[in-house]
Structures are given as C-alpha cells and as structure tokens.
C-alpha cells in the first residue's frame, strides 16, 4: 500500500541509534546527521514525538551527543551497556523502542522507524493493525528486506547519503560509546542492522509517556 503524506498528519519518529550508526560507519565510513534524518522523516508534517534510543557507558562521554539531540527536539532514551564475563557486550533497545511506538500509536497518524533491523517487522504489522501508517527510513544496503516489504513506505538514505551524513570531524556524536565499539575497528553489520539542523522541526503535543 502506498503511503499517504500530508501536512495535517501527526507523526512520531523512533530512532534506532546504534543501527543507523553501524550502517553509516560500515557503508560510508561516516557519521549520521540525525537532524537531517528527523527532517526527512517528518516531511513537513506535525511532529508529536521524536526519540532516539542510546546505550550509555560509565565514562559519560555520550552527554554531548544527548545535548545535541535535545537541541533539535529529539528525546534520548538510555540504558546501560551490559558487559558480561569474558568481555561480551550487549546493548539492545528493540523491545523498548517497539513498546514506545505502540504507546504513542493512538495519538499518531504515522510512525517513522529509523532502523533497518528486521526484528521490527512484527511491530510494524501490529502498528498497521491499529490503523497507523508505518514508514521506515534507513540505508537500503543494510536494511532487512522483510522490513522494507512490511512498511508502508521506505526511505533509502543510501540513495543520497550526502544528505544524511556528516563529513566534518567536528561532531557531538562520539562513536566509542556506541555498543562499546572501537571506532577504528567497526563491527561488521548484520543484515538489517547496521548534529544539529537549523530547519529541524520542533516537538509538540505528547509527553514522554505517550499521554
């Protein structure tokens, strides 16, 4: 089904930060311009809520990144990086992001998931069953094919990567805190995984609990 977009639509944007980070890093050796991503996702409509899901570390180096997101109207949702015996690390926001999208669904006409992770396919189907239009914005080369098929509209940032990436080294996005990876040795992306903008829309309406 073709997506219908008009200025009166109420939109919520939910950003899988790590997924976009790893995709941009591995595909383009670059960082994501989240202001540009938000602007493209909203597409001139009414932004009710925008949230980015991020993993925190003990160093607290991600604070500058959080401040940059807040400045452009994106709420940051955080959880601690889990480090297991032997050095294994886990940082997964999939369930929390899906639950938040469902909570906000009654107040939205369209939900935009900024991710390429195929684990969101069941959430897409459920949101559609609630009568919400579900759109996905991600990098096509690293996005799940099933996710692309399930959503009502897919925006492939890989078709015009310069519009969504930061080429300058001056950025609030600090790569070392994303899932504890070394920026010089990025993890290879799994299938479907992978600053500010003066014109970015402001958040209106719902609070962080979706009320």
């Amino acid at each position: 089904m073709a997506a219908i977009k008009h200025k009166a639509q109420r939109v919520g944007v939910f950003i899988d930060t790590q997924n976009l980070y790893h995709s941009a890093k591995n595909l383009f050796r670059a960082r994501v311009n989240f202001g540009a991503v938000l602007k493209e996702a909203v597409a001139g409509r009414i932004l009710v809520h925008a949230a980015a899901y991020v993993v925190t570390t003990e160093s607290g180096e991600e604070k500058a990144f959080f401040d940059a997101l807040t400045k452009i109207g994106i709420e940051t949702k955080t959880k601690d990086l889990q480090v297991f015996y032997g050095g294994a690390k886990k940082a997964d926001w999939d369930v929390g992001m899906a639950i938040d999208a469902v909570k906000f669904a009654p107040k939205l006409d369209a939900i935009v998931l900024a991710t390429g992770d195929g684990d969101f396919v069941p959430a897409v189907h459920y949101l559609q069953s609630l009568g919400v239009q579900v759109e996905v914005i991600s990098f096509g080369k690293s996005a799940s094919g099933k996710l692309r098929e399930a959503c009502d509209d897919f925006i492939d940032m890989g078709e015009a990567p310069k519009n969504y990436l930061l080429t300058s080294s001056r950025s609030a996005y600090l790569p070392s805190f994303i899932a504890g990876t070394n920026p010089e040795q990025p993890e290879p992306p799994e299938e479907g995984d992978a600053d500010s903008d003066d014109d970015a829309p402001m958040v209106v309406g719902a609070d962080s609990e979706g009320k």
Side-chain angles (χ1 to χ4, degrees), residues 54 101 130 171 206:
V54 188
L130 298 178
S171 170

Side-chain angles (χ1 to χ4, degrees), residues 11 37 61 68 184:
V11 180
V37 174
E61 60 183 316
E184 299 303 322

Side-chain angles (χ1 to χ4, degrees), residues 18-202:
Q18 289 176 231
N19 182 274
L20 295 191
Y21 166 77
H22 286 302
S23 292
K25 186 67 176 177
N26 287 282
L27 292 173
F28 305 104
R29 305 295 296 178
R31 300 173 183 176
V32 180
N33 183 337
F34 287 92
V37 174
L38 179 62
K39 183 178 179 181
E40 182 67 33
V42 176
R45 296 171 290 183
I46 302 170
L47 178 60
V48 173
H49 180 72
Y53 298 78
V54 188
V55 174
T56 60
T57 61
E58 292 182 358
S59 67
E61 60 183 316
E62 60 273 11
K63 185 179 184 302
F65 175 57
F66 295 165
D67 291 343
L69 291 181
T70 300
K71 185 178 179 181
I72 59 174
I74 300 177
E75 177 190 1
T76 55
K77 303 293 286 287
T78 65
K79 66 166 52 176
D80 294 334
L81 174 68
Q82 299 180 58
V83 181
F84 299 94
Y85 180 78
K89 299 173 183 178
K90 181 179 179 182
D92 191 345
W93 254 118
D94 293 359
V95 174
M97 180 169 150
I99 290 175
D100 281 355
V102 171
K103 285 181 178 179
F104 273 91
K107 294 183 177 294
L108 302 172
D109 301 304
I111 285 177
V112 185
L113 302 177
T115 184
D117 192 340
D119 289 345
F120 284 98
V121 170
V124 169
H125 289 316
Y126 183 73
L127 290 166
Q128 290 169 330
S129 74
L130 298 178
V132 180
Q133 179 168 286
V134 182
E135 305 161 23
V136 171
I137 181 169
S138 187
F139 297 98
K141 289 184 178 180
S142 61
S144 162
K146 292 182 179 180
L147 181 64
R148 296 183 65 159
E149 293 175 1
C151 65
D152 297 303
D153 184 43
F154 181 80
I155 302 170
D156 185 356
M157 295 188 289
E159 294 181 351
K162 291 183 180 180
N163 293 341
Y164 308 102
L165 300 175
L166 295 168
T167 56
S168 171
S169 61
R170 185 172 65 87
S171 170
Y173 199 103
L174 303 174
S176 60
F177 76 79
I178 296 294
T181 58
N182 184 333
E184 299 303 322
Q185 297 177 325
E187 296 177 351
E190 299 178 3
E191 180 181 356
D193 284 339
D195 303 51
S196 66
D197 187 318
D198 292 338
D199 295 324
M202 297 302 295

